[in-house]
Amino acid sequence: MAPRNWIGTVHLAQARAAQAAGFVALSHGRATAMEKLSVGDRVIFYAPRTDFDGDPVQAFVALLTVTGETILERALPGTDFRPFTRDALYHDVTELPVRPLLDQLSFATSPRHWGMAFRRSQFEISESDFNLIAKGMTAS
């Protein structure tokens, strides 16, 4: 089965903590979110804000490949939060603002209400959407 591509909506602080720990956690730490993932799947983190009540970010902030077969419950560094996770390899990328891509992303179907797409904390995206975002995140 071919790897699947996902968007995970998380706050920037959560994305950075998960990256530092080398794992992926989605959907408020639910085990069911990790059950949807397979080894080789790719996830792009979208951060609406720096943290729960923080400043707007509205950017794609990390890109990773799932490497862990096992779902583990473990602490998110620097917090009391214990999400279900899988090991992941994070790629060297730069943040990419979402707004310039909105007219090209198939999942952003409403220009006026584009943020609604990201209210789903985890959703699968097409290969073309993934490639468009990944290219922008890795461009020098």
Side-chain angles (χ1 to χ4, degrees):
M1 186 163 135
R4 297 184 304 171
N5 303 302
W6 301 88
I7 294 289
T9 303
V10 300
H11 298 299
L12 181 61
Q14 292 169 323
R16 296 290 177 249
Q19 183 171 2
F23 61 67
V24 58
L26 298 167
S27 297
H28 309 286
R30 291 185 183 99
T32 54
M34 294 300 97
E35 292 167 359
K36 294 178 185 177
L37 300 178
S38 299
V39 171
D41 282 4
R42 302 176 298 182
V43 178
I44 295 173
F45 279 151
Y46 169 77
R49 297 185 166 278
T50 54
D51 55 42
F52 187 74
D53 291 320
D55 296 326
V57 175
Q58 297 182 340
F60 300 105
V61 298
L63 189 157
L64 63 96
T65 302
V66 177
T67 59
E69 290 271 353
T70 306
I71 298 171
L72 301 169
E73 184 179 17
R74 49 190 156 181
L76 188 65
T79 72
D80 294 330
F81 183 45
R82 293 190 54 82
F84 287 92
T85 68
R86 283 184 185 250
D87 289 338
L89 171 67
Y90 282 78
H91 304 279
D92 187 18
V93 296
T94 58
E95 289 184 17
L96 178 65
V98 68
R99 286 185 185 270
L101 299 178
L102 290 175
D103 62 343
Q104 300 171 65
L105 296 170
S106 67
F107 60 84
T109 57
S110 173
R112 188 171 181 187
H113 304 288
W114 63 268
M116 294 303 289
F118 296 102
R119 295 243 175 170
R120 302 171 287 164
S121 57
Q122 175 186 14
F123 60 97
E124 193 170 356
I125 61 172
S126 69
E127 184 82 13
S128 61
D129 283 339
F130 178 88
N131 290 338
L132 175 69
I133 299 165
K135 181 179 178 185
M137 293 180 83
T138 58
S140 340

